[in-house]
Amino acid sequence: MRRKIGLEELLERAPAAQHAAPPAQQPAGPSGLSGPSGPQRRAPHTEFEFELPLGYVDDEGTVHRHGTMRLATARDELMPQIDLRVKENPAYLSVVLLSHVITRLGDVTDVHAGIVERMYATDVAFLQDLYQRINSEGHTRAAVTCPHCDGAFEVDLAGGRLGES
């Protein structure tokens, strides 16, 4: 008889070779050899600041509006699938997922599902939208061109207030 195993146990059992990425090919430098003299790739932007439309109100009555969300990993997206709360209520998935990727909310650095549960629906919808944008595009900025002067510039789609995104 087979027994069910959790994601943690499955990841521990997997051979190290499956987790190791193949050695990266470095671009050739001026001498034609690969190495540190070649062009360096810029590290991806992985954390994004945001401002909630209404804000999370803690037990002391303090409103926390500014926060930081990081890019999700595959593990972040897999872990909620084995969470019993999500199995009982699939709508809870976004609460668990957001609690994993929000790294800071005002003075709160330990953001957990209980905090996300207590947020206003408007703020949760804002965070779900932000999550989708940064994890599908990798950023919240978009290049735009002015239709009147043809000037090119970037805008931040995250916005700071409701209706600005």
Side-chain angles (χ1 to χ4, degrees):
M1 179 175 188
R2 288 186 168 175
R3 71 178 181 90
K4 290 186 178 181
I5 61 172
L7 180 62
E8 293 290 328
E9 188 176 347
L10 183 64
L11 291 173
E12 288 173 9
R13 287 184 179 185
Q18 287 182 355
H19 295 297
Q25 293 288 346
Q26 292 188 351
S31 63
L33 302 172
S34 63
S37 61
Q40 296 292 320
R41 295 188 91 180
R42 196 175 73 172
H45 185 77
T46 60
E47 288 208 336
F48 301 87
E49 291 190 6
F50 61 83
E51 182 177 345
L52 294 174
L54 299 174
Y56 164 69
V57 182
D58 66 18
D59 293 334
E60 287 79 37
T62 305
V63 178
H64 304 274
R65 292 187 66 200
H66 298 278
T68 307
M69 181 184 292
R70 66 172 172 77
L71 288 177
T73 64
R75 181 185 200 95
D76 292 324
E77 296 212 348
L78 291 171
M79 289 302 286
Q81 300 299 325
I82 61 172
D83 190 303
L84 292 177
R85 298 168 296 186
V86 174
K87 287 184 178 183
E88 290 175 8
N89 181 3
Y92 201 75
L93 183 134
S94 64
V95 171
V96 175
L97 190 54
L98 288 173
S99 71
H100 282 273
V101 297
I102 298 172
T103 57
R104 181 184 56 79
L105 187 56
D107 297 334
V108 181
T109 56
D110 180 25
V111 180
H112 51 81
I115 289 175
V116 179
E117 284 177 354
R118 292 175 42 202
M119 288 182 179
Y120 295 108
T122 301
D123 289 336
V124 173
F126 172 86
L127 291 168
Q128 288 170 328
D129 182 55
L130 178 64
Y131 175 92
Q132 187 63 38
R133 281 185 279 151
I134 68 174
N135 285 289
S136 62
E137 300 290 327
H139 58 80
T140 60
R141 294 174 310 282
V144 295
T145 304
C146 175
H148 301 291
C149 68
D150 287 331
F153 56 96
E154 279 189 349
V155 294
D156 187 355
L157 299 174
R161 296 181 186 13
L162 184 61
E164 285 188 358
S165 56

